[in-house]
mmCIF file of all heavy atoms in Angstrom:
data_model
loop_
_atom_site.group_PDB
_atom_site.id
_atom_site.type_symbol
_atom_site.label_atom_id
_atom_site.label_comp_id
_atom_site.label_asym_id
_atom_site.label_seq_id
_atom_site.Cartn_x
_atom_site.Cartn_y
_atom_site.Cartn_z
ATOM 1 N N THR A 33 39.756 45.882 151.207
ATOM 2 C CA THR A 33 40.223 46.867 150.238
ATOM 3 C C THR A 33 40.703 46.211 148.962
ATOM 4 O O THR A 33 40.847 46.881 147.940
ATOM 5 C CB THR A 33 41.359 47.725 150.826
ATOM 6 O OG1 THR A 33 42.437 46.875 151.232
ATOM 7 C CG2 THR A 33 40.883 48.542 152.005
ATOM 8 N N ASP A 34 40.939 44.895 148.967
ATOM 9 C CA ASP A 34 41.359 44.200 147.756
ATOM 10 C C ASP A 34 40.217 44.068 146.757
ATOM 11 O O ASP A 34 40.448 43.935 145.565
ATOM 12 C CB ASP A 34 41.888 42.793 148.089
ATOM 13 C CG ASP A 34 43.238 42.841 148.773
ATOM 14 O OD1 ASP A 34 43.888 43.895 148.721
ATOM 15 O OD2 ASP A 34 43.630 41.814 149.356
ATOM 16 N N LYS A 35 38.991 44.100 147.238
ATOM 17 C CA LYS A 35 37.832 43.925 146.362
ATOM 18 C C LYS A 35 37.395 45.298 145.861
ATOM 19 O O LYS A 35 36.754 46.057 146.563
ATOM 20 C CB LYS A 35 36.704 43.243 147.125
ATOM 21 C CG LYS A 35 37.090 41.864 147.575
ATOM 22 C CD LYS A 35 36.012 41.218 148.378
ATOM 23 C CE LYS A 35 36.481 39.850 148.822
ATOM 24 N NZ LYS A 35 35.584 39.225 149.727
ATOM 25 N N ARG A 36 37.750 45.590 144.624
ATOM 26 C CA ARG A 36 37.405 46.877 144.042
ATOM 27 C C ARG A 36 36.401 46.657 142.927
ATOM 28 O O ARG A 36 36.474 45.697 142.183
ATOM 29 C CB ARG A 36 38.649 47.537 143.465
ATOM 30 C CG ARG A 36 39.719 47.844 144.492
ATOM 31 C CD ARG A 36 40.912 48.368 143.764
ATOM 32 N NE ARG A 36 41.337 47.362 142.790
ATOM 33 C CZ ARG A 36 42.500 46.761 142.775
ATOM 34 N NH1 ARG A 36 43.382 47.067 143.654
ATOM 35 N NH2 ARG A 36 42.793 45.864 141.860
ATOM 36 N N LEU A 37 35.486 47.599 142.798
ATOM 37 C CA LEU A 37 34.520 47.515 141.716
ATOM 38 C C LEU A 37 35.106 48.005 140.405
ATOM 39 O O LEU A 37 34.503 47.836 139.360
ATOM 40 C CB LEU A 37 33.269 48.332 142.055
ATOM 41 C CG LEU A 37 32.335 47.701 143.063
ATOM 42 C CD1 LEU A 37 31.166 48.630 143.355
ATOM 43 C CD2 LEU A 37 31.820 46.374 142.572
ATOM 44 N N GLY A 38 36.308 48.582 140.441
ATOM 45 C CA GLY A 38 36.926 49.082 139.228
ATOM 46 C C GLY A 38 37.193 47.989 138.212
ATOM 47 O O GLY A 38 37.220 48.239 137.009
ATOM 48 N N ASP A 39 37.363 46.754 138.654
ATOM 49 C CA ASP A 39 37.629 45.644 137.750
ATOM 50 C C ASP A 39 36.348 45.042 137.187
ATOM 51 O O ASP A 39 36.402 44.248 136.266
ATOM 52 C CB ASP A 39 38.416 44.546 138.487
ATOM 53 C CG ASP A 39 39.775 45.040 138.945
ATOM 54 O OD1 ASP A 39 40.248 46.064 138.428
ATOM 55 O OD2 ASP A 39 40.362 44.397 139.828
ATOM 56 N N TRP A 40 35.217 45.405 137.721
ATOM 57 C CA TRP A 40 33.939 44.817 137.303
ATOM 58 C C TRP A 40 33.321 45.649 136.190
ATOM 59 O O TRP A 40 33.619 46.825 136.024
ATOM 60 C CB TRP A 40 32.987 44.751 138.494
ATOM 61 C CG TRP A 40 33.402 43.746 139.512
ATOM 62 C CD1 TRP A 40 34.558 43.744 140.246
ATOM 63 C CD2 TRP A 40 32.689 42.591 139.921
ATOM 64 N NE1 TRP A 40 34.590 42.666 141.074
ATOM 65 C CE2 TRP A 40 33.457 41.939 140.906
ATOM 66 C CE3 TRP A 40 31.466 42.063 139.551
ATOM 67 C CZ2 TRP A 40 33.036 40.773 141.512
ATOM 68 C CZ3 TRP A 40 31.042 40.895 140.169
ATOM 69 C CH2 TRP A 40 31.831 40.265 141.138
ATOM 70 N N LEU A 41 32.430 45.041 135.432
ATOM 71 C CA LEU A 41 31.741 45.707 134.328
ATOM 72 C C LEU A 41 30.273 45.890 134.675
ATOM 73 O O LEU A 41 29.690 45.051 135.356
ATOM 74 C CB LEU A 41 31.852 44.860 133.061
ATOM 75 C CG LEU A 41 33.262 44.502 132.601
ATOM 76 C CD1 LEU A 41 33.212 43.440 131.513
ATOM 77 C CD2 LEU A 41 33.987 45.732 132.110
ATOM 78 N N ASP A 42 29.668 46.980 134.190
ATOM 79 C CA ASP A 42 28.238 47.169 134.414
ATOM 80 C C ASP A 42 27.472 46.787 133.144
ATOM 81 O O ASP A 42 28.062 46.348 132.155
ATOM 82 C CB ASP A 42 27.924 48.591 134.865
ATOM 83 C CG ASP A 42 28.259 49.646 133.827
ATOM 84 O OD1 ASP A 42 28.689 49.297 132.713
ATOM 85 O OD2 ASP A 42 28.077 50.844 134.130
ATOM 86 N N ASN A 43 26.152 46.954 133.168
ATOM 87 C CA ASN A 43 25.311 46.549 132.041
ATOM 88 C C ASN A 43 25.733 47.199 130.732
ATOM 89 O O ASN A 43 25.811 46.542 129.693
ATOM 90 C CB ASN A 43 23.842 46.895 132.319
ATOM 91 C CG ASN A 43 23.218 45.965 133.317
ATOM 92 O OD1 ASN A 43 23.635 44.833 133.484
ATOM 93 N ND2 ASN A 43 22.196 46.451 134.005
ATOM 94 N N GLN A 44 25.993 48.488 130.775
ATOM 95 C CA GLN A 44 26.337 49.217 129.564
ATOM 96 C C GLN A 44 27.647 48.702 128.967
ATOM 97 O O GLN A 44 27.749 48.503 127.755
ATOM 98 C CB GLN A 44 26.446 50.707 129.866
ATOM 99 C CG GLN A 44 26.725 51.548 128.640
ATOM 100 C CD GLN A 44 26.785 53.030 128.967
ATOM 101 O OE1 GLN A 44 26.628 53.441 130.116
ATOM 102 N NE2 GLN A 44 27.013 53.836 127.953
ATOM 103 N N ASP A 45 28.634 48.455 129.815
ATOM 104 C CA ASP A 45 29.923 47.936 129.340
ATOM 105 C C ASP A 45 29.748 46.586 128.649
ATOM 106 O O ASP A 45 30.315 46.343 127.585
ATOM 107 C CB ASP A 45 30.904 47.778 130.510
ATOM 108 C CG ASP A 45 31.279 49.101 131.155
ATOM 109 O OD1 ASP A 45 31.234 50.132 130.456
ATOM 110 O OD2 ASP A 45 31.609 49.091 132.359
ATOM 111 N N VAL A 46 28.962 45.707 129.263
ATOM 112 C CA VAL A 46 28.775 44.360 128.712
ATOM 113 C C VAL A 46 28.000 44.414 127.398
ATOM 114 O O VAL A 46 28.353 43.728 126.430
ATOM 115 C CB VAL A 46 28.069 43.436 129.735
ATOM 116 C CG1 VAL A 46 27.775 42.083 129.129
ATOM 117 C CG2 VAL A 46 28.929 43.286 130.986
ATOM 118 N N CYS A 47 26.965 45.245 127.344
ATOM 119 C CA CYS A 47 26.198 45.372 126.102
ATOM 120 C C CYS A 47 27.091 45.860 124.960
ATOM 121 O O CYS A 47 26.993 45.372 123.830
ATOM 122 C CB CYS A 47 25.027 46.331 126.284
ATOM 123 S SG CYS A 47 23.663 45.640 127.234
ATOM 124 N N GLN A 48 27.978 46.797 125.241
ATOM 125 C CA GLN A 48 28.884 47.298 124.214
ATOM 126 C C GLN A 48 29.909 46.241 123.818
ATOM 127 O O GLN A 48 30.212 46.084 122.637
ATOM 128 C CB GLN A 48 29.595 48.558 124.699
ATOM 129 C CG GLN A 48 28.680 49.757 124.757
ATOM 130 C CD GLN A 48 29.360 50.979 125.352
ATOM 131 O OE1 GLN A 48 30.472 50.897 125.870
ATOM 132 N NE2 GLN A 48 28.691 52.120 125.283
ATOM 133 N N MET A 49 30.443 45.520 124.789
ATOM 134 C CA MET A 49 31.440 44.492 124.493
ATOM 135 C C MET A 49 30.867 43.384 123.624
ATOM 136 O O MET A 49 31.520 42.922 122.688
ATOM 137 C CB MET A 49 31.974 43.856 125.789
ATOM 138 C CG MET A 49 33.034 44.631 126.497
ATOM 139 S SD MET A 49 33.571 43.774 127.989
ATOM 140 C CE MET A 49 34.405 42.364 127.302
ATOM 141 N N LEU A 50 29.656 42.941 123.949
ATOM 142 C CA LEU A 50 29.056 41.812 123.254
ATOM 143 C C LEU A 50 28.184 42.232 122.075
ATOM 144 O O LEU A 50 27.695 41.381 121.337
ATOM 145 C CB LEU A 50 28.217 40.978 124.237
ATOM 146 C CG LEU A 50 28.962 40.391 125.430
ATOM 147 C CD1 LEU A 50 27.999 39.659 126.348
ATOM 148 C CD2 LEU A 50 30.082 39.473 124.973
ATOM 149 N N ASN A 51 27.972 43.548 121.944
ATOM 150 C CA ASN A 51 27.129 44.086 120.885
ATOM 151 C C ASN A 51 25.726 43.474 120.954
ATOM 152 O O ASN A 51 25.210 42.928 119.972
ATOM 153 C CB ASN A 51 27.757 43.855 119.507
ATOM 154 C CG ASN A 51 27.111 44.730 118.453
ATOM 155 O OD1 ASN A 51 26.549 45.770 118.767
ATOM 156 N ND2 ASN A 51 27.180 44.293 117.203
ATOM 157 N N ILE A 52 25.135 43.550 122.153
ATOM 158 C CA ILE A 52 23.797 43.011 122.387
ATOM 159 C C ILE A 52 22.933 44.077 123.040
ATOM 160 O O ILE A 52 23.440 45.078 123.551
ATOM 161 C CB ILE A 52 23.829 41.749 123.277
ATOM 162 C CG1 ILE A 52 24.478 42.056 124.637
ATOM 163 C CG2 ILE A 52 24.531 40.602 122.571
ATOM 164 C CD1 ILE A 52 24.428 40.921 125.625
ATOM 165 N N SER A 53 21.637 43.846 123.049
ATOM 166 C CA SER A 53 20.704 44.779 123.687
ATOM 167 C C SER A 53 20.614 44.480 125.185
ATOM 168 O O SER A 53 20.963 43.382 125.633
ATOM 169 C CB SER A 53 19.321 44.639 123.058
ATOM 170 O OG SER A 53 18.755 43.394 123.415
ATOM 171 N N PRO A 54 20.123 45.441 125.960
ATOM 172 C CA PRO A 54 19.928 45.185 127.390
ATOM 173 C C PRO A 54 18.977 44.014 127.654
ATOM 174 O O PRO A 54 19.144 43.283 128.627
ATOM 175 C CB PRO A 54 19.344 46.502 127.915
ATOM 176 C CG PRO A 54 19.852 47.535 126.974
ATOM 177 C CD PRO A 54 19.895 46.858 125.636
ATOM 178 N N ARG A 55 17.984 43.822 126.798
ATOM 179 C CA ARG A 55 17.048 42.702 126.986
ATOM 180 C C ARG A 55 17.747 41.361 126.778
ATOM 181 O O ARG A 55 17.489 40.403 127.507
ATOM 182 C CB ARG A 55 15.864 42.842 126.013
ATOM 183 C CG ARG A 55 14.866 41.734 126.155
ATOM 184 C CD ARG A 55 14.225 41.744 127.546
ATOM 185 N NE ARG A 55 13.512 40.506 127.774
ATOM 186 C CZ ARG A 55 13.618 39.762 128.863
ATOM 187 N NH1 ARG A 55 14.391 40.137 129.849
ATOM 188 N NH2 ARG A 55 12.937 38.663 128.983
ATOM 189 N N THR A 56 18.637 41.295 125.788
ATOM 190 C CA THR A 56 19.404 40.062 125.573
ATOM 191 C C THR A 56 20.302 39.784 126.768
ATOM 192 O O THR A 56 20.435 38.635 127.209
ATOM 193 C CB THR A 56 20.252 40.169 124.288
ATOM 194 O OG1 THR A 56 19.380 40.453 123.200
ATOM 195 C CG2 THR A 56 21.020 38.898 124.022
ATOM 196 N N LEU A 57 20.873 40.841 127.322
ATOM 197 C CA LEU A 57 21.706 40.690 128.516
ATOM 198 C C LEU A 57 20.877 40.156 129.677
ATOM 199 O O LEU A 57 21.315 39.283 130.420
ATOM 200 C CB LEU A 57 22.356 42.027 128.872
ATOM 201 C CG LEU A 57 23.298 42.052 130.053
ATOM 202 C CD1 LEU A 57 24.448 41.071 129.872
ATOM 203 C CD2 LEU A 57 23.830 43.449 130.281
ATOM 204 N N GLN A 58 19.657 40.653 129.818
ATOM 205 C CA GLN A 58 18.756 40.167 130.864
ATOM 206 C C GLN A 58 18.477 38.682 130.679
ATOM 207 O O GLN A 58 18.475 37.909 131.628
ATOM 208 C CB GLN A 58 17.445 40.953 130.834
ATOM 209 C CG GLN A 58 16.400 40.463 131.806
ATOM 210 C CD GLN A 58 16.764 40.742 133.245
ATOM 211 O OE1 GLN A 58 17.210 41.834 133.558
ATOM 212 N NE2 GLN A 58 16.578 39.767 134.116
ATOM 213 N N THR A 59 18.260 38.262 129.432
ATOM 214 C CA THR A 59 18.001 36.854 129.137
ATOM 215 C C THR A 59 19.209 35.998 129.506
ATOM 216 O O THR A 59 19.060 34.910 130.071
ATOM 217 C CB THR A 59 17.660 36.670 127.649
ATOM 218 O OG1 THR A 59 16.506 37.466 127.352
ATOM 219 C CG2 THR A 59 17.371 35.219 127.321
ATOM 220 N N LEU A 60 20.410 36.478 129.208
ATOM 221 C CA LEU A 60 21.633 35.739 129.555
ATOM 222 C C LEU A 60 21.758 35.571 131.071
ATOM 223 O O LEU A 60 22.200 34.537 131.558
ATOM 224 C CB LEU A 60 22.866 36.444 128.997
ATOM 225 C CG LEU A 60 23.014 36.449 127.473
ATOM 226 C CD1 LEU A 60 24.175 37.351 127.056
ATOM 227 C CD2 LEU A 60 23.208 35.043 126.947
ATOM 228 N N ARG A 61 21.346 36.592 131.818
ATOM 229 C CA ARG A 61 21.349 36.488 133.284
ATOM 230 C C ARG A 61 20.285 35.512 133.746
ATOM 231 O O ARG A 61 20.532 34.664 134.605
ATOM 232 C CB ARG A 61 21.091 37.857 133.922
ATOM 233 C CG ARG A 61 22.257 38.779 133.930
ATOM 234 C CD ARG A 61 22.078 39.912 134.932
ATOM 235 N NE ARG A 61 20.791 40.566 134.891
ATOM 236 C CZ ARG A 61 20.528 41.693 134.234
ATOM 237 N NH1 ARG A 61 21.456 42.270 133.529
ATOM 238 N NH2 ARG A 61 19.333 42.226 134.280
ATOM 239 N N ASP A 62 19.073 35.632 133.192
ATOM 240 C CA ASP A 62 17.943 34.812 133.633
ATOM 241 C C ASP A 62 18.171 33.326 133.406
ATOM 242 O O ASP A 62 17.793 32.496 134.238
ATOM 243 C CB ASP A 62 16.658 35.240 132.929
ATOM 244 C CG ASP A 62 16.160 36.598 133.393
ATOM 245 O OD1 ASP A 62 16.647 37.089 134.435
ATOM 246 O OD2 ASP A 62 15.296 37.172 132.696
#
Side-chain angles (χ1 to χ4, degrees):
T33 58
D34 288 344
K35 297 177 181 173
R36 298 175 302 241
L37 284 178
D39 297 342
W40 290 62
L41 304 169
D42 64 3
N43 286 335
Q44 183 178 1
D45 295 333
V46 175
C47 285
Q48 288 175 351
M49 279 180 69
L50 300 177
N51 196 24
I52 59 174
S53 69
R55 180 63 193 132
T56 303
L57 182 58
Q58 176 70 44
T59 301
L60 292 172
R61 283 198 313 263
D62 290 346

